[in-house]
Every structure is written in C-alpha cells, then in structure tokens.
Amino acid sequence: RPRAVIHFAAESHVDRSIAGPDVFVTTNVLGTTALLDAARDYWMKLPASEQESFRFINISTDEVYGSMTPDSAPALETTPFDPSSPYSASKAAADQFGRAYLRTYGLPVITMRCTNNYGPRQYPEKLTPNMILRALHGKPLPLYGSGRQIRDWIHTEDFCAAIRLALDKGAPGEIYNVGAGNEVANEDYVRRLCRILDQVHPRPDGRPYEAQIAHVADRPGHDIRYALNAGKIRRELGWRPSICFDDGLFQTVCWYVKQAGF
C-alpha cells in the first residue's frame, strides 16, 4: 500500500533525443501518463484519509524553461516554458500532464524542477562520469563549441533531501525549483574535474588531465544557460543545500576513480 509515487524515470540524454526523439516521447510522455493513470486508479480506491496523505512527486527539469542569457534572472516556478531539444520538450509535456491530472482528477501531484545533478552512481553517459572515465583511460575530453554554456550543479543527495521535504511538507499542486546556485561554464566544470584527478590519480607522464580537453562541433540548439530561483522551496519548506560544491566534487571524483579500479 504505497503512500507515494516518486517518478524519476525518463530518457534524459539530450544527444540521444536529437538522434532519435521517438523513444523520448514514448518513455517521457506516454510512460508518464501510464504511471499517472496507474497512480490515479490506485489512489481513487484508497480510504479518504489515505487519499488525503497520498502524493505523486513528478520529477521535472530546469531545461523546460529553455535557454537563458548570462545576465538574465534565474527562472521562477511561473516562468513560461520554452524547451529547445526533443528531450526538454518531452519533459515539459510530462510535467504538464502531471499538472493536468491534478486539475482534472484531483490526483495530489507535486512538481519538482531541478538543475544538473552530480554525484556517485550516475549513468556513464552523463557529463561527470563520462569525463572522469575518459580522462582516466587517456581519451579526449570533448567539449561542445566554446564550452562556455553555463549550468547550475547540485549534489544528488541535496536534491533527494529536497524531495523528502516535499513529500513530507509539500502541498498538492505546488511546484518547486531546486538549485544550489553553483553556476559554472561547462569548460570550467571539466577543468575542475581534471584538477581533482591531478591530485588523486596523476597521469603517468606527469602532464595535467586538462591537456586531454578537445573542443568539438557544437550540439544543435545548444542552450546557453540554465538557472533556477530556488527561493520558494527555501522559504516554504526550509530546504538548503548542505554539501559544499568543492567537497562534493572531490568526493565524487574519488568515488569514480575507486570504482574504475584506478
């Protein structure tokens, strides 16, 4: 008798969405509505007291807001959607289906839109593990275009803490942006990873890992910047990120180095 559904499941790699958008529609849009249907059917059969306490947490993304300029204000929960890629378009649809099931059927949905996560156990195609593992194996570290695209980074444990708070204290229908305010250009982020690798597992030839960075043709429709205003979840639920960015990155790199057997 689950008391909540926390819906993380998604196709989430932008490059693959550009190469083949159909699977992103199937998983992110149709898959989300299938799960919403199952949750609604289950929820409607619960006693009134359990209906009231049940929650469906729909995990969205900062990418639904689209690209921002370096000097524009971070997105609020009320900022209009402007997705750029098939991935972000599919997540925007999933996000809005969750909102529609709340309004149409009363299903108690809470929506959470988060910035880039980093930490242990990420799927290897993601930027952090991909760059660390490529560096360790002596491969080029490809950066799209100028590498000056800006992303805000949050440790996965801080995001999970925000989800727990929303599960316990959030009201149905609420939307929460979750970001830690660690805005970094992609190239600078990769250079940080390289400098940590220089400390914990130096290259045999003594050269810095930054020497493996290689700029490649830019991704189509590559967004310049994502940034979220997380003031609402701070004010209403008392959430704060607890992991220092530098400490979290160091621990993350060490975890991947150990897991890779270096």
Side-chain angles (χ1 to χ4, degrees):
R1 297 178 67 86
R3 67 182 182 91
V5 172
I6 304 175
H7 176 32
F8 288 98
E11 294 283 352
S12 62
H13 197 265
V14 175
D15 285 353
R16 286 196 290 104
S17 82
I18 294 170
D22 290 359
V23 69
F24 285 72
V25 175
T26 300
T27 299
N28 297 353
V29 184
L30 300 182
T32 296
T33 55
L35 191 55
L36 286 164
D37 278 335
R40 179 196 60 183
D41 292 346
Y42 169 80
W43 172 75
M44 292 181 69
K45 297 171 185 174
L46 291 174
S49 60
E50 292 183 40
Q51 280 191 346
E52 187 174 346
S53 61
F54 185 84
R55 295 290 183 269
F56 187 107
I57 308 289
N58 205 22
I59 305 298
S60 188
T61 170
D62 56 357
E63 295 196 36
V64 298
Y65 298 117
S67 186
M68 299 177 180
T69 62
D71 58 351
S72 60
L76 296 164
E77 287 82 357
T78 54
T79 298
F81 282 7
D82 188 22
S84 302
S85 69
Y87 160 66
S88 55
S90 69
K91 287 295 289 185
D95 183 314
Q96 294 297 73
F97 266 104
R99 306 281 297 156
Y101 272 63
L102 169 85
R103 293 185 180 182
T104 304
Y105 307 110
L107 184 67
V109 175
I110 295 173
T111 306
M112 305 193 75
R113 300 171 185 154
C114 191
T115 58
N116 280 35
N117 276 227
Y118 73 95
R121 302 179 182 86
Q122 272 196 312
Y123 194 65
E125 72 184 2
K126 295 300 179 182
L127 179 66
T128 305
N130 186 36
M131 290 296 174
I132 294 169
L133 296 174
R134 290 182 67 90
L136 290 170
H137 287 96
K139 298 179 179 180
L141 307 180
L143 279 173
Y144 284 125
S146 67
R148 305 315 299 168
Q149 303 86 1
I150 297 169
R151 303 294 182 260
D152 180 8
W153 292 90
I154 183 173
H155 195 284
T156 185
E157 290 184 10
D158 278 331
F159 184 34
C160 287
I163 293 168
R164 292 188 193 101
L165 275 175
L167 187 62
D168 292 338
K169 298 181 180 180
E174 292 295 344
I175 305 167
Y176 299 105
N177 285 343
V178 187
N182 299 314
E183 289 191 45
V184 183
N186 287 344
E187 183 172 5
D188 296 337
Y189 182 78
V190 172
R191 290 187 184 278
R192 286 185 184 219
L193 299 177
C194 289
R195 288 194 290 270
I196 297 171
L197 283 170
D198 289 337
Q199 296 178 53
V200 301
H201 188 77
R203 281 178 34 154
D205 62 4
R207 298 182 67 200
Y209 282 97
E210 290 184 18
Q212 294 170 224
I213 292 175
H215 289 268
V216 298
D218 207 355
R219 166 195 289 161
H222 202 171
D223 290 338
I224 297 170
R225 172 178 173 242
Y226 303 132
L228 294 181
N229 183 323
K232 179 178 177 179
I233 194 170
R234 289 171 178 257
R235 291 189 307 271
E236 297 186 5
L237 302 187
W239 175 83
R240 297 287 187 280
S242 63
I243 298 175
C244 168
F245 189 36
D246 288 335
D247 292 344
L249 273 186
F250 187 86
Q251 294 164 6
T252 297
V253 172
C254 290
W255 188 90
Y256 284 108
V257 170
K258 182 178 179 180
Q259 292 299 310
F262 286 88

